[in-house]
């Protein structure tokens, strides 16, 4: 952000002697004279520290001693702005800027206040006037102005000033970072990547630039390039936790699960919060069908946090995959108890009951899932199949048709409809859906005859 004069005071500055002398005079109630320059230093010190009461007292003293002082009035405006008294601040700064119309810092304050009041067009006019008066470092001034509009989330206007600054100094790295950020906010990821590459051309060892490029490639689902960028980031700074984490995510999305585990383990070594990386590692082992290792990771998570729903769910799924259905129910039910509004958990529970041939409980669980999310054609088909297996063909047809309304291309649906209609002796529909099923699976005819061998004369 733009540096006002008070931002230049440090604790070691000799000018703090003036502040000490001022505080001694106020604590002893001994009136002392301070000239305008001294009062500016005192007020700026308190403004920098965020000590609004002391700032106000020093301003009051300054205006009593120097009632016509424009610099002290400006500081009153700064104080009001910091306290959110924007209208009061604006009145003061507009008045002072009529007196000192060529002071860039004061114009910047006026423009900033106008922007905070959402009077953005007026702010632009003031900022443009300020740029005309600026004699040097115009690229930095453009960046300072852009910050104002970035904070106001007015990205088109911030872009204007960033591009102006870039034309003046294409090697201003701070400006380039904000330009890339601005492009990202406008969802123009390709241009953002181009800007980060400009930064890297200037500073090849900018881990931040490499990381941000990786993030953008990740958002674009270009995981190969994301991994490459994160590799550079972690090579430059092997302690960059977020780069290791995001590298793990990129490998995961790229289905390189073993490499994802390596990245997550490295990340785990850098963070004191072990439960998240252990959960990610468990998910990788699931994908690799190394279910014992996955369960081990999830149990380590539960040893840290016994309320971790993802860990209970992960163990439940692994037990389902290893056909330990009764055991899986314990973990899935635990997850449901903690978060009953998750449709997916009820589906897992239903699948466990299906495999235990507990049809009523399976249907009940599927129905709970549908209450939470009606748009589940696969779940409707699963219920239909349970009724079909019980020879309740009217009921099964009802669920198959509900699935058809949601998504006619649901896997296996045409085949199930063909068989169901045949069982209901509605042969014309049976043939219609069998023909549709054959378009998607050439083996549908043979499967149909396995279930309905007597239909061979019909078809």
């Amino acid at each position: 952000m733009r540096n006002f004069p008070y931002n230049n005071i440090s604790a070691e500055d000799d000018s703090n002697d003036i502040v000490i002398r001022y505080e001694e005079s106020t604590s002893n109630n001994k009136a002392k004279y301070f000239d305008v320059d001294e009062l500016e230093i005192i007020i700026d010190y308190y403004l920098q520290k965020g000590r609004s009461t002391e700032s106000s007292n020093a301003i009051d003293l300054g205006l009593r001693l120097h009632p016509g002082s424009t610099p002290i009035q400006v500081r009153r405006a700064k104080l009001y702005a910091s306290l959110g008294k924007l209208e009061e601040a604006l009145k003061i700064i507009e008045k002072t800027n009529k007196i000192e119309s060529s002071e860039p810092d004061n114009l910047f304050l006026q423009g900033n206040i106008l922007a905070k009041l959402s009077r953005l067009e007026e702010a632009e006019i003031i900022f443009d006037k300020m740029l005309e008066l600026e004699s040097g470092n115009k690229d930095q001034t453009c960046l300072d102005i852009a910050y104002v509009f970035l904070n106001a989330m007015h990205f088109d206007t911030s872009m204007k000033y960033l591009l102006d600054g870039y034309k003046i100094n294409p090697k201003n790295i701070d400006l380039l970072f904000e330009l890339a950020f601005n492009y990202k906010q406008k969802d123009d990821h390709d241009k953002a990547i181009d800007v980060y590459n400009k930064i890297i051309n200037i500073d090849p060892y900018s881990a931040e630039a490499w990381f941000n490029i990786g993030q953008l490639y990740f958002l674009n689902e270009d995981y190969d390039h994301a991994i490459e960028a994160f590799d550079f980031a972690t090579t430059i700074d092997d302690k960059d936790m977020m780069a290791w984490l995001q590298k793990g995510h990129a490998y995961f999305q790229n289905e390189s699960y073993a490499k994802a585990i390596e990245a997550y383990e490295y990340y785990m070594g850098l963070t004191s919060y072990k439960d998240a990386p252990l959960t990610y590692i468990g998910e990788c082992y699931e994908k690799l069908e190394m279910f014992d290792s996955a369960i081990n990771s999830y149990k380590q998570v539960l040893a840290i946090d016994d309320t971790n729903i993802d860990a209970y769910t992960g163990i439940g799924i692994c037990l389902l995959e290893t056909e330990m259905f009764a055991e899986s129910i314990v973990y899935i039910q635990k997850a449901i108890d903690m978060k009953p509004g998750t449709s997916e958990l009820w589906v897992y529970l239903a699948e466990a009951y299906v495999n235990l041939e507990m049809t009523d409980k399976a249907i009940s669980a599927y129905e709970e899932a549908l209450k939470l999310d009606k748009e589940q054609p696969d779940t409707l088909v699963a219920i239909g199949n349970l009724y079909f297996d019980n020879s309740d063909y009217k009921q099964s047809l009802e669920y198959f048709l509900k699935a058809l309304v949601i998504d006619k291309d649901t896997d296996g649906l045409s085949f199930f409809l063909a068989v169901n209609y045949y069982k209901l002796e509605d042969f014309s529909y049976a043939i219609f859906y069998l023909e549709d099923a054959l378009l998607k699976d050439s083996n549908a005819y043979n499967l149909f005859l396995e279930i309905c061998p007597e239909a061979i004369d019909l078809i």
Side-chain angles (χ1 to χ4, degrees):
M1 296 296 290
R2 187 173 185 79
N3 289 324
F4 296 126
Y6 60 82
N7 285 337
N8 295 324
I9 298 176
S10 67
E12 293 76 28
D13 199 306
D14 292 340
S15 61
N16 283 344
D17 291 340
I18 299 168
V19 176
I20 294 169
R21 183 158 56 85
Y22 167 78
E23 291 184 345
E24 287 175 350
S25 72
T26 55
S27 63
N28 296 327
N29 292 319
K30 292 181 180 179
K32 285 190 177 181
Y33 179 82
F34 295 89
D35 63 28
V36 172
D37 290 341
E38 290 174 324
L39 283 161
E40 287 179 43
I41 291 170
I42 294 164
I43 297 164
D44 289 343
Y45 174 83
Y46 290 126
L47 285 172
Q48 183 189 31
K49 299 292 185 181
R51 293 164 64 177
S52 55
T53 301
E54 291 89 341
S55 300
S56 182
N57 291 339
I59 290 168
D60 289 342
L61 173 62
L63 291 176
R64 285 199 301 272
L65 293 173
H66 311 281
S69 170
T70 298
I72 295 176
Q73 288 286 1
V74 169
R75 281 156 178 78
R76 172 82 79 187
K78 290 176 183 177
L79 175 62
Y80 282 157
S82 70
L83 295 173
K85 298 179 180 180
L86 299 176
E87 295 289 356
E88 294 95 322
L90 184 61
K91 287 178 183 177
I92 295 170
I93 198 63
E94 284 180 337
K95 184 177 179 180
T96 58
N97 280 349
K98 287 178 182 177
I99 300 168
E100 293 188 4
S101 59
S102 62
E103 177 52 54
D105 277 339
N106 294 351
L107 288 169
F108 182 85
L109 178 60
Q110 183 179 352
N112 199 4
I113 293 168
L114 285 166
K116 287 180 178 178
L117 289 167
S118 298
R119 294 163 61 175
L120 299 176
E121 291 182 4
E122 295 173 70
E124 259 191 275
I125 293 169
I126 297 297
F127 287 135
D128 288 342
K129 179 180 178 182
M130 171 188 164
L131 278 170
E132 289 175 7
L133 296 169
E134 191 73 72
S135 58
N137 294 326
K138 276 196 173 185
D139 58 316
Q140 187 60 40
T141 302
C142 287
L143 175 58
D144 294 338
I145 295 169
Y147 280 133
V148 173
F149 291 104
L150 283 169
N151 290 335
M153 301 185 72
H154 207 273
F155 301 116
D156 288 334
T157 310
S158 61
M159 182 69 76
K160 165 192 163 184
Y161 289 102
L162 290 168
L163 290 173
D164 286 346
Y166 174 72
K167 289 175 186 176
I168 296 165
N169 181 6
K171 293 190 176 182
N172 185 328
I173 287 182
D174 290 336
L175 188 148
L176 289 170
F177 268 108
E178 296 307 325
L179 182 59
F181 173 79
N182 207 116
Y183 278 127
K184 182 187 176 189
Q185 295 306 305
K186 291 170 66 64
D187 291 325
D188 196 338
H189 294 171
D190 290 340
K191 284 188 177 178
I193 290 170
D194 286 342
V195 175
Y196 282 124
N197 279 321
K198 293 180 190 301
I199 295 172
I200 288 166
N201 287 337
I202 299 168
D203 179 10
Y205 297 99
S206 174
E208 183 181 357
W210 282 115
F211 175 81
N212 289 341
I213 287 178
Q215 291 284 70
L216 288 164
Y217 278 126
F218 189 93
L219 290 172
N220 287 349
E221 299 182 7
D222 184 348
Y223 302 118
D224 286 334
H225 281 102
I227 290 164
E228 182 181 344
F230 291 134
D231 275 340
F232 278 110
T234 54
T235 299
I236 295 166
D237 179 5
D238 65 356
K239 298 295 189 292
D240 187 338
M241 289 193 300
M242 290 307 299
W244 282 105
L245 177 61
Q246 290 304 111
K247 188 196 289 193
H249 291 338
Y251 274 128
F252 184 92
Q253 294 297 331
N254 216 29
E255 299 183 5
S256 299
Y257 302 117
K259 289 184 177 180
I261 290 171
E262 290 178 10
Y264 288 138
E265 286 178 339
Y266 200 100
Y267 166 72
M268 187 164 59
L270 297 172
T271 180
S272 57
Y273 301 99
K274 310 296 185 185
D275 48 339
L278 281 167
T279 302
Y280 301 140
I281 290 168
E283 290 172 357
C284 290
Y285 280 127
E286 266 190 65
K287 294 293 187 180
L288 291 168
E289 298 185 2
M290 297 171 65
F291 299 116
D292 288 342
S293 295
I295 289 171
N296 180 56
S297 291
Y298 289 133
K299 286 187 175 180
Q300 289 181 65
V301 174
L302 293 177
I304 299 168
D305 176 13
D306 64 0
T307 65
N308 190 300
I309 294 173
D310 290 335
Y312 284 111
T313 304
I315 294 173
I317 293 170
C318 290
L319 292 171
L320 273 175
E321 293 289 348
T322 53
E323 300 184 0
M324 299 176 70
F325 304 117
E327 294 86 344
S328 73
I329 289 172
V330 176
Y331 288 92
I332 296 168
Q333 188 62 60
K334 182 72 174 179
I336 289 172
D337 291 343
M338 289 189 288
K339 199 172 182 180
T342 306
S343 173
E344 188 178 26
L345 292 173
W346 288 101
V347 172
Y348 292 139
L349 182 63
E351 289 174 1
Y353 282 130
V354 167
N355 283 285
L356 290 171
E357 298 184 1
M358 301 172 72
T359 302
D360 290 343
K361 286 191 174 183
I363 291 173
S364 178
Y366 278 134
E367 293 288 3
E368 288 294 330
L370 289 171
K371 287 178 186 176
L372 296 167
D373 179 9
K374 294 180 181 179
E375 302 295 307
Q376 296 188 72
D378 289 329
T379 297
L380 289 164
V381 168
I383 297 173
N385 281 328
L386 290 175
Y387 281 116
F388 184 90
D389 290 342
N390 283 340
S391 301
D392 190 344
Y393 303 125
K394 288 184 179 179
Q395 195 72 10
S396 61
L397 180 63
E398 179 183 332
Y399 282 92
F400 291 146
L401 291 175
K402 285 180 181 179
L404 186 69
V405 171
I406 297 171
D407 183 3
K408 62 183 179 61
D409 293 321
T410 301
D411 189 36
L413 181 55
S414 294
F415 177 78
F416 297 137
L417 282 165
V419 175
N420 207 122
Y421 274 118
Y422 181 82
K423 292 295 185 181
L424 289 171
E425 299 183 358
D426 192 335
F427 302 129
S428 59
Y429 271 120
I431 292 171
F432 173 81
Y433 282 108
L434 180 58
E435 288 174 348
D436 188 60
L438 282 166
L439 294 174
K440 300 166 186 174
D441 180 3
S442 59
N443 198 38
Y445 179 81
N446 293 330
L447 290 173
F448 184 86
L449 289 179
E450 283 182 23
I451 299 170
C452 310
E454 68 280 6
I456 189 167
D457 294 332
L458 175 68
I459 57 177

